[in-house]
């Protein structure tokens, strides 16, 4: 019996270790026809599903996101009972039939054989007619119909700015099967997870409408509307509808938008990548949107340099949606904004091309690896734009202060939940946003404090290159940080991600001892950290000190000059004392964490002021 148990443990461990050796792949071909008068659409889908797993698959699950926009849906019910309901989602309860959304599968076959399926809210269960064995593919053919809901959350029609269609999460999308099995999560308005693959999509719509989408338009010279090659005269078509043909390779979702009043402009960068801009040109948008291309060009250079090379040849900024939302090779953003606001939302959503678009983490389980990393990238990019003189005035995203404050707020309110919490399982929207966006950003900003600026930069580039077009987990990121820094960092990952324990250090006492001063520090918080300190004399001379943490098994790659490295602080100890080679009478102050990058929840005791007269 013991042998069997041990063997089982070994097998499970082996499967866990090898979980990243495979991932599934999809190839979608879809045609959709939208009636702009009824807001209903019909579509066909041919999906080739590659089973790269070691498992035999006997069932499938699809997402039917539009079914969330009906009274009584999981999204509606969850929001009604939330401690802090989302005002946008509150509309669902009162939707009339013609305002609701739905997505229904009419038929589905596997290699020509009819399949039985069952719809449960936003999830479709499918029993396969024949097992899908490891290394094999299945050809799945589907007919579906849907109705576009009024704009509520991300998807919809007739948004607040008058954009006709924001078509995200619009098609039956296969759920992900990975080392943990299927992920048939009901849609509550939170995050997404998808397999990488190719999308070939044909959209039939009234010829008055201009379409923006993921991917590259294949028939631009017959469509026109700014897509045609220079010098091409687009023929006048007598048909009532146009068929827009888009293709995208190695993406995990497909979004499109349509409006008859879109202005379509484009900007070609020196590297050949084309930025497309789609917006309604009016007095609220003209000045901001015309200035946006040059600013995004500089931002794109910065993101490429610090986070990895963008792998596609185009990106589209599309006015639509309800705020701002990322999709592969495109974003939906509301557009009636000041220049500063428009740049801020555009940078944030563009940065998702790195964290979400190319590095495809399971956002429902690790939402902070998406939004938190993007917040970090946004702050640095906005700061670069200010430094380059492309933006002027005050802005909250010039530094990480707002993320540290928002993290501290959920701690003070007593509502913090671990960042490892599934996105759909947070008890409140405030706790979700605080953990995912704010604490997730602090994770990286504070990691920079722990391992140094050079190491964090190398880590982010290494991470992108190692995990692009894959689905990394937190452990994968921290292993790369360890490799780049030479430090052990699992303690940081465990504390910061899986717990709500906090950091709190203070200076307990400073007193004279002959020709030196004795400094006593106390750890009150439950998370141990390496410490940086600055002692300042009354003459204005600074002494920089660094106390390593024993758990890290080494010292950071230090960027401060003339820094004295002290003995490591042993984790169980609450008190740490050291000699400072400065007369007590010459000291003006001592401060813990002068850079402010450690998320100490009580900074009031981080400074010690001394008022003695000089000798």
């Amino acid at each position: 019996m013991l042998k069997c148990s041990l063997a089982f443990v070994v097998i499970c461990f082996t499967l866990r270790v090898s979980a990243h050796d495979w991932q599934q792949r999809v190839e979608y071909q879809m045609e959709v026809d939208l009636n702009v008068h009824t807001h209903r659409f019909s579509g066909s889908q041919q999906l080739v599903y590659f089973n790269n797993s070691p498992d035999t698959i006997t069932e499938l699950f699809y997402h039917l996101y539009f079914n969330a926009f009906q009274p009584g849906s999981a999204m509606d019910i969850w929001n009604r009972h939330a401690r802090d309901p989302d005002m946008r989602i509150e509309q669902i309860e009162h939707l009339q039939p013609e305002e609701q959304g739905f997505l229904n599968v009419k038929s589905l076959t596997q290699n020509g054989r009819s399949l039985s399926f069952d719809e449960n809210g936003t999830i479709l269960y499918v029993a396969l007619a024949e097992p899908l064995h490891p290394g094999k593919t299945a050809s799945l053919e589907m007919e579906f119909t849907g109705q576009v809901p009024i704009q509520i959350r991300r998807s919809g029609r007739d948004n607040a700015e008058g954009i006709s269609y924001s078509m995200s999460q619009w098609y039956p999308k296969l759920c992900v099967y990975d080392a943990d099995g299927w992920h048939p999560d009901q849609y509550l308005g939170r995050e997404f997870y998808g397999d990488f693959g190719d999308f070939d999509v044909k959209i039939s719509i009234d010829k008055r409408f201009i379409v923006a989408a993921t991917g590259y338009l294949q028939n631009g010279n017959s469509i026109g509307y700014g897509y045609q090659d220079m010098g091409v005269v687009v023929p006048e078509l007598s048909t009532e509808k146009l068929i827009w043909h888009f293709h995208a390779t190695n993406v995990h979702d497909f979004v499109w938008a349509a409006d008859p009043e879109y202005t379509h402009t484009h900007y070609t960068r020196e590297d050949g990548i084309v930025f497309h801009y789609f917006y309604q040109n009016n007095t609220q948008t003209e000045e901001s949107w015309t200035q946006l291309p040059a600013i995004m060009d500089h931002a794109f250079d910065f993101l490429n340099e610090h986070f990895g090379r963008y792998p596609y040849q185009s990106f589209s900024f599309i006015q639509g949606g309800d705020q701002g939302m990322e999709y592969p090779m495109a974003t939906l953003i509301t557009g009636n904004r000041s220049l500063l606001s428009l740049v801020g939302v555009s940078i944030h959503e563009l940065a998702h091309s790195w964290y979400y678009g190319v590095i495809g983490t399971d956002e429902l389980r690790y939402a902070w690896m998406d939004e938190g990393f993007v917040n970090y990238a946004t702050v640095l990019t906005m700061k670069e734009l200010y430094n380059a003189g492309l933006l002027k005035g005050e802005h909250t995203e010039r530094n990480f202060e707002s993320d540290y404050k928002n993290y501290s707020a959920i701690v003070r309110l007593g509502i913090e939940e671990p960042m490892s919490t599934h996105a759909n399982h947070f008890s409140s929207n405030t706790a979700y946003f605080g953990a995912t966006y704010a604490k997730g950003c602090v994770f990286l900003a504070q990691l920079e404090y722990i391992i140094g600026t050079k190491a964090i930069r190398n880590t982010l580039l290494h991470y992108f290159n190692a995990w692009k077009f894959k689905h990394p987990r937190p452990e994968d990121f921290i292993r790369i940080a360890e490799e780049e820094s030479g430090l052990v960092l699992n303690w940081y990952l465990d504390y910061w991600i899986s717990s709500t324990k906090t950091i709190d250090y203070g200076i307990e006492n400073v007193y004279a001892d002959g020709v030196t001063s004795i400094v006593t520090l106390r750890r009150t918080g439950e998370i141990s950290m390496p410490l940086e300190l600055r002692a300042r004399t009354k003459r204005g001379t600074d002494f920089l000190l660094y106390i390593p943490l024993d758990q890290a098994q080494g010292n950071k790659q230090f960027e401060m000059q003339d820094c004295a490295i002290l003995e490591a602080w042993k984790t169980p100890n609450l008190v740490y004392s050291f000699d400072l080679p400065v007369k007590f009478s010459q000291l003006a102050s001592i401060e813990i964490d002068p850079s402010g990058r450690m998320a100490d929840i009580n900074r009031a005791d981080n400074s010690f002021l001394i008022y003695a007269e000089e000798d």
Side-chain angles (χ1 to χ4, degrees), residues 215-216 265-277 293 296-301 303-305 308-317 329-330 350 353-354 358 464:
Y216 314 103
T265 63
H266 49 80
Y267 178 99
T268 303
R269 286 169 39 83
E270 288 186 1
D271 59 9
I273 294 175
V274 180
F275 288 165
H276 293 269
Y277 297 87
M296 288 299 103
D297 186 41
H298 189 93
F300 199 78
D301 284 339
L303 289 164
N304 268 339
E305 179 184 356
R309 299 292 301 181
Y310 180 79
Y312 309 110
Q313 291 302 303
S314 73
F315 187 87
S316 296
F317 299 87
M329 303 176 66
L350 175 61
S353 293
W354 281 257
V358 177
F464 181 85

Side-chain angles (χ1 to χ4, degrees), residues 111-156:
N111 302 327
R113 297 177 61 182
S114 294
L115 298 179
S116 61
F117 49 86
D118 183 53
E119 184 179 299
N120 174 23
T122 62
I123 296 297
L124 184 78
Y125 167 78
V126 181
L128 291 180
E130 55 188 86
L132 179 57
H133 296 287
K136 302 299 182 180
T137 63
S139 179
L140 303 159
E141 296 195 3
M142 174 191 294
E143 301 291 329
F144 61 91
T145 60
Q147 177 171 289
V148 186
I150 62 170
Q151 181 71 56
I152 293 176
R153 188 72 183 100
R154 298 188 174 114
S155 313

Side-chain angles (χ1 to χ4, degrees), residues 99-110:
E99 299 173 322
Q100 296 173 19
F102 65 76
L103 186 57
N104 301 138
V105 173
K106 310 305 292 183
S107 66
L108 181 59
T109 64
Q110 176 193 2

Side-chain angles (χ1 to χ4, degrees), residues 182-230:
W182 285 104
H183 294 263
D185 300 291
Q186 290 286 342
Y187 182 43
L188 303 184
R190 290 275 166 82
E191 306 296 338
F192 305 99
Y193 186 28
D195 284 316
F196 284 98
D198 300 341
F199 285 74
D200 193 87
V201 181
K202 294 180 180 179
I203 302 163
S204 178
I205 192 171
D206 187 303
K207 66 180 180 181
R208 297 173 299 129
F209 285 71
I210 300 172
V211 176
T214 292
Y216 314 103
L217 185 64
Q218 303 298 293
N219 57 338
N221 287 340
S222 60
I223 290 289
Y225 286 123
Y227 282 105
Q228 69 272 27
D229 295 331
M230 186 175 296

Side-chain angles (χ1 to χ4, degrees), residues 213-486:
T214 292
Y216 314 103
L217 185 64
Q218 303 298 293
N219 57 338
N221 287 340
S222 60
I223 290 289
Y225 286 123
Y227 282 105
Q228 69 272 27
D229 295 331
M230 186 175 296
V232 171
V233 177
V234 180
E236 181 69 29
L237 299 178
S238 58
T239 57
E240 291 300 314
K241 288 188 172 183
L242 294 179
I243 298 177
W244 301 67
H245 181 192
F246 291 91
H247 186 83
T249 300
N250 229 6
V251 297
H252 55 71
D253 204 353
F254 186 95
V255 66
W256 60 284
D259 191 85
E261 297 180 6
Y262 269 149
T263 292
H264 174 203
T265 63
H266 49 80
Y267 178 99
T268 303
R269 286 169 39 83
E270 288 186 1
D271 59 9
I273 294 175
V274 180
F275 288 165
H276 293 269
Y277 297 87
F278 299 87
Y279 61 98
Q280 290 183 346
N281 196 352
N282 54 50
T283 55
Q284 287 183 286
T285 61
E286 183 177 12
E287 182 177 356
S288 297
W289 282 83
T290 53
Q291 294 182 66
L292 193 60
I295 297 173
M296 288 299 103
D297 186 41
H298 189 93
F300 199 78
D301 284 339
F302 182 83
L303 289 164
N304 268 339
E305 179 184 356
H306 290 84
F307 299 96
R309 299 292 301 181
Y310 180 79
Y312 309 110
Q313 291 302 303
S314 73
F315 187 87
S316 296
F317 299 87
I318 308 166
Q319 185 179 4
D322 59 320
Q323 283 182 348
M325 182 59 197
E326 68 278 2
Y327 296 97
M329 303 176 66
T331 177
L332 293 175
I333 54 177
T334 49
N336 295 343
R337 299 167 177 262
S338 67
L339 176 63
L340 196 57
S341 176
L342 184 62
V343 169
V345 70
S346 297
I347 293 295
H348 182 92
E349 305 307 337
L350 175 61
H352 273 297
S353 293
W354 281 257
Y355 304 112
Y356 158 84
V358 177
I359 298 178
T361 52
D362 179 354
E363 296 178 276
L364 284 158
R365 293 181 67 185
Y366 315 117
W368 61 274
M369 295 181 73
D370 165 50
E371 296 295 354
F373 280 41
V374 165
N375 265 20
Y376 180 84
T378 300
V379 169
L380 294 182
T381 307
M382 293 293 287
K383 186 175 182 179
E384 167 63 20
L385 294 177
Y386 277 103
N387 292 340
L390 293 171
L391 291 178
K392 294 178 171 54
E394 294 299 322
H395 196 271
T396 57
E397 289 181 340
R398 293 183 69 171
N399 53 53
F400 298 109
E401 182 180 355
S402 61
D403 290 291
Y404 279 82
K405 284 184 176 179
N406 289 335
Y407 159 64
S408 296
I410 60 172
V411 172
R412 289 196 310 272
L413 291 170
I415 61 171
E416 184 191 4
E417 298 177 54
M419 289 165 62
S420 57
T421 304
H422 189 286
N424 284 351
H425 300 161
F426 279 89
S427 300
S428 68
N429 286 309
T430 304
Y432 164 74
F433 285 109
T436 300
Y437 289 76
K439 192 178 180 183
C441 176
V442 173
F443 170 84
L444 280 185
Q446 190 167 243
L447 182 61
E448 181 177 346
Y449 163 83
I450 295 170
I451 68 176
T453 300
K454 180 180 179 181
I456 194 71
R457 297 290 178 263
N458 291 341
T459 295
L460 291 168
L461 288 171
H462 184 170
Y463 175 57
F464 181 85
N465 291 323
W467 289 101
K468 57 188 175 184
F469 308 124
K470 299 177 184 178
H471 310 298
R473 304 181 184 211
E475 295 79 9
D476 301 311
F477 176 80
I478 212 67
R479 292 294 85 79
I480 290 176
E482 289 182 326
E483 183 178 337
E484 292 295 338
S485 67

